Structures are given as C-alpha cells and as structure tokens.
Amino acid sequence: GENVEQHPSTLSVQEGDSAVIKCTYSDSASNYFPWYKQELGKGPQLIIDIRSNVGEKKDQRIAVTLNKTAKHFSLHITETQPEDSAVYFCAAVYTGGFKTIFGAGTRLFVKA
Amino acid sequence: DSGVTQTPKHLITATGQRVTLRCSPRSGDLSVYWYQQSLDQGLQFLIQYYNGEERAKGNILERFSAQQFPDLHSELNLSSLELGDSALYFCASSTSLGWDEQYFGPGTRLTVT
C-alpha cells in the first residue's frame, strides 16, 4: 500500500544551524507534497508544499526539494530559531484516491 | 485560528460506548478530512468527503463511520469503543479534492476508560 517514510524521528540542532528532514514515498502516482508543522496542543499547519512539476521551492528560511525519480523529498530549514521547535510532518497525496499519507513526523529541537 | 471548528474539545467515555465528533469546515471549503493521531504517532488518514460525497478512505475501522451534511459540516461516529481508540481526532478542510492546503481544526481528544 501507499507509504511515506520520514527521517529522522528526532533532530536536535543549535540555534542558527540548518535542519534537514527527509521523506520517501512509495506511490509514483503521487504529485503533491505538503509539509506541516505541529506545535504542542495545536493542529498541524502547512508551512510549504511542492508539486511534481517543480524540483525546488523556497520561502524565506524554508525550502523543499523533490526528486521524482528517487521518490524522495526533503525539507530544509536554515538559520533555525527556538520557535522552529515543533513536530514536522511530510505528506504525499495520491492521485489514485486522493488519500493524504503522512510521514511519522520529526520532532525538531532548536537549542538557544 | 484556521477557521475549522471541532466539538467537543475533550471527550471521556467508557469502553463499548458510542460517540460523535463534529467538524465545521472553513467557509467555502468543500472537502473535509478526518485523521487520527495516537500518542507519539503520526497522522492516520481516516476518510475524506467532498461536497457531501465520500471521496477517499484510509484505514478506517468498520466501527467508525462519517458523513458530510448539506451545510458541509461533518460528523465522525465511533462505536463499540476500545481503549486503543483513545487518541486525538483532527478534522481538516480544503477547497479542492486534495491538491491544496488542508486547514486543520484544534482536534478532539478522546479518552476511552
């Protein structure tokens, strides 16, 4: 079945460093890849997304890259700040049934 | 505030019981999604409705059912509850069938004792 693997499960960085989270999806028919940030006690919130016809997208300190051949996409956060501390989820939307499959999440800690 | 409302915020019930969770999507959104988030786990997609019709199904148990009403609000019904059903249940909405941002509600925390 459809599956999205996300690594690492936990990531600890020093303030100002970069953080990279990687995801791999199984269904080559998927073509929309959003990233969500979930803060404690809240619902997830979209931070950036990418579609299959684009290889890279950037929004200020956040960037996402997509390699369709490898079925691999990554989130890059530069100049991390303590407020970036949260759980980050990648997801893939499958054209076959409009299912949104989420990765298991990465808990990011940014140390001041 | 995402514009998606969920009620109740907390729910405590006993095994074997039945509960109904309610979701009101953002104004104008036609799609409603339901997700289950267990402790320290990711988001499990349950089901999606678009303009009143079921459009996608995930790993939703047969004891669970959902519907979307003409006013576009949605309800998730959980029956014959088990301890393992204790989780956060999120509702999300979007304008399209799934190709755009999903706006998540604050969630309903269900505790089955």
Side-chain angles (χ1 to χ4, degrees):
Chain A
E2 305 94 346
N3 186 47
V4 174
E5 291 189 2
Q6 182 172 347
H7 300 280
S9 57
T10 305
L11 180 59
S12 185
V13 300
Q14 204 68 35
E15 182 179 2
D17 287 350
S18 295
V20 180
I21 302 170
K22 298 182 179 183
C23 290
T24 303
Y25 59 98
S26 60
D27 190 339
S28 57
S30 55
N31 59 9
Y32 175 58
F33 307 92
W35 285 87
Y36 286 85
K37 175 183 180 182
Q38 186 176 23
E39 297 177 334
L40 196 62
K42 297 184 178 180
Q45 185 173 11
L46 183 79
I47 55 171
I48 195 167
D49 56 11
I50 192 167
R51 302 185 189 274
S52 60
N53 58 346
V54 176
E56 184 174 357
K57 183 176 178 180
K58 191 173 180 180
D59 183 5
Q60 298 183 335
R61 297 185 297 110
I62 295 173
V64 58
T65 59
L66 172 65
N67 183 331
K68 283 217 76 180
T69 303
K71 291 189 282 188
H72 173 92
F73 58 116
S74 300
L75 177 71
H76 305 252
I77 305 174
T78 58
E79 300 171 22
T80 53
Q81 302 166 2
E83 51 266 38
D84 294 330
S85 296
V87 178
Y88 291 81
F89 293 98
C90 63
V93 180
Y94 291 80
T95 59
F98 304 106
K99 295 180 186 179
T100 302
I101 307 300
F102 280 82
T106 296
R107 190 174 296 275
L108 174 64
F109 297 97
V110 180
K111 296 175 287 186
Chain B
D1 184 3
S2 66
V4 177
T5 60
Q6 289 187 250
T7 56
K9 193 170 184 177
H10 300 279
L11 197 51
I12 301 175
T13 189
T15 54
Q17 295 298 304
R18 182 179 189 275
V19 297
T20 297
L21 312 184
R22 183 188 168 101
C23 168
S24 292
R26 286 190 327 154
S27 177
D29 283 357
L30 298 178
S31 273
V32 169
Y33 311 78
W34 286 98
Y35 293 92
Q36 179 191 59
Q37 186 174 43
S38 301
L39 189 64
D40 288 336
Q41 289 192 15
L43 292 152
Q44 299 297 319
F45 170 72
L46 296 178
I47 198 164
Q48 179 201 4
Y49 281 83
Y50 179 81
N51 203 20
E53 293 188 9
E54 181 185 307
R55 293 308 301 259
K57 219 167 185 176
N59 296 325
I60 187 168
L61 299 172
E62 286 191 9
R63 301 184 285 109
F64 296 1
S65 65
Q67 55 183 324
Q68 186 180 28
F69 295 87
D71 67 352
L72 301 179
H73 90 271
S74 179
E75 292 181 356
L76 179 68
N77 300 297
L78 315 175
S79 61
S80 303
L81 286 168
E82 302 174 0
L83 295 178
D85 297 327
S86 295
L88 260 173
Y89 290 84
F90 285 105
C91 166
S93 73
S94 72
T95 55
S96 74
L97 280 164
W99 310 111
D100 59 352
E101 178 175 0
Q102 293 182 28
Y103 295 86
F104 282 78
T108 292
R109 181 170 294 281
L110 173 67
T111 302
V112 182
T113 62

